[in-house]
Amino acid sequence: MTLNPWRLRLLADLATYGTVRAVAQRGNLSPSAVSQQLATLERETRTTLLERTGRRVRLTAAGVLLAGRAREILALMDAAEAELRGLADEPAGTVTLAAFQSAVHTLAEPAITRLAALHPDVTVVLHELEPHDSMPALRRGDVDVIITTTDFAGAELDPAIDLVPIAADEIVLVLPPDHPLTAHESVPVQACADQRWTFEAAGAYMSELATRLCREAGFEPSVICRFNNYMLALGHVERGRSITLLPSLAVDPRYNVATRPLAPPVTRRIIAAARRPPTPRPEITAVLTALRS
């Protein structure tokens, strides 16, 4: 019996993402192609790996066992490839980088541009993932490097994760340009108790932070809009329909809005994070260096 690494990866992805459709989307395959490959893996192993319930499948005990071993096998293969690449003078390979929305254009893309000039054989695949999603994705091995913040539940220190400080980003109050609060150099959150707010979707990083700051100031915010896109939030504020709290990195100068620091100030720490590999991966080191610079 010879195990096919590609089919093992599909099985590991199924254990992670839960559905054949999600695995297909991740691999740019059709669901039927994924199902056929998993069926072939069952024949190769002479083991029932999947249980079919209606249109869905779930892993059997044997499937869970093999998916776990598959992750170990694939990690060892990645390490072997990294060791071989490390024998060369120049970093090479593909690195998957995930960054939260406001860091994509301000931090990730400039770093990728610098990296392309210094190490043209390193390819970076960029994804947008918010902090509450990116850290679990890093721990699962779905991405190689993330740009995130340590200021949220779930970002606790992990000996298997290396953290690289990048920057500090101030949280600012975003107001329509003619709003009365623009007369102040800084604004305490409690001064906004009677305002209408735009927040991110419930559970997202900035939504949780803004809600906490309002409640600590003694009031429940009147949230009239929830947007996952900062551009939509800035447009809503620009039209005078609400105010919001955003990281300063997210405030696009193309929008006619005013910003004021909070009193007392609130700052988030921005970091890059990568799993600590059994052997160094020069391409990941190159990405982290580009981000740090």
Side-chain angles (χ1 to χ4, degrees):
M1 178 177 60
T2 301
L3 295 175
N4 182 292
W6 180 50
R7 295 186 186 112
L8 289 177
R9 192 173 297 276
L10 293 177
L11 184 69
D13 284 349
L14 182 61
T16 298
Y17 297 104
T19 68
V20 169
R21 182 174 297 277
V23 174
Q25 290 175 343
R26 176 175 168 79
N28 291 320
L29 300 167
S30 67
S32 61
V34 173
S35 296
Q36 290 170 6
Q37 293 301 318
L38 292 174
T40 300
L41 183 61
E42 285 188 308
R43 290 195 297 272
E44 289 175 342
T45 59
R46 301 182 181 88
T47 306
T48 301
L49 303 174
L50 308 174
E51 293 177 339
R52 290 159 181 84
T53 55
R55 295 185 177 181
R56 299 178 66 87
V57 297
R58 64 181 181 180
L59 297 181
T60 63
V64 171
L65 172 65
L66 184 57
R69 293 300 188 191
R71 291 193 183 97
E72 297 173 6
I73 292 167
L74 294 168
L76 287 172
M77 292 178 65
D78 290 341
E81 291 177 3
E83 288 173 348
L84 291 174
R85 287 194 298 269
L87 296 176
D89 294 331
E90 181 65 23
T94 299
V95 177
T96 304
L97 170 65
F100 54 84
Q101 185 182 151
S102 60
V104 169
H105 297 298
T106 55
L107 297 174
E109 289 187 343
I112 292 171
T113 299
R114 290 192 295 272
L115 187 70
L118 293 171
H119 304 294
D121 293 329
V122 176
T123 299
V124 178
V125 178
L126 180 60
H127 296 275
E128 180 190 329
L129 281 179
E130 292 303 305
H132 60 282
D133 291 325
S134 64
M135 187 62 79
L138 179 67
R139 290 184 173 124
R140 289 194 305 266
D142 298 341
V143 296
D144 299 310
V145 180
I146 62 174
I147 302 174
T148 188
T149 174
T150 58
D151 305 314
F152 74 101
E156 294 80 7
L157 293 179
D158 185 333
I161 303 293
D162 286 325
L163 305 181
V164 178
I166 295 180
D169 188 23
E170 187 176 22
I171 305 299
V172 295
L173 183 66
V174 186
L175 304 160
D178 56 353
H179 196 283
L181 288 175
T182 59
H184 303 272
E185 291 187 4
S186 61
V187 180
V189 175
Q190 56 263 38
C192 306
D194 60 348
Q195 299 294 312
R196 298 183 301 174
W197 293 84
T198 289
F199 279 7
E200 273 191 294
Y205 168 75
M206 276 306 303
S207 175
E208 295 295 299
L209 175 60
T211 300
R212 176 172 61 80
L213 291 174
C214 290
R215 288 174 178 170
E216 288 175 353
F219 67 93
E220 191 68 24
S222 174
V223 181
I224 63 169
C225 284
R226 289 188 179 272
F227 296 124
N228 284 328
N229 188 302
Y230 289 152
M231 303 300 105
L232 294 176
L234 288 166
H236 202 266
V237 173
E238 182 182 48
R239 292 188 292 274
R241 296 177 181 172
S242 64
I243 67 172
T244 192
L245 289 172
L246 288 180
S248 58
L249 282 177
V251 182
D252 192 314
R254 292 174 295 180
Y255 289 84
N256 184 24
V257 296
T259 62
R260 293 294 182 270
L262 297 175
V266 177
T267 302
R268 65 174 179 173
R269 296 165 291 166
I270 299 175
I271 61 166
R275 293 185 310 281
R276 188 168 296 154
T279 57
R281 292 184 58 185
E283 68 275 27
I284 289 181
T285 301
V287 170
L288 292 172
T289 299
L291 288 170
R292 190 168 52 239
S293 65

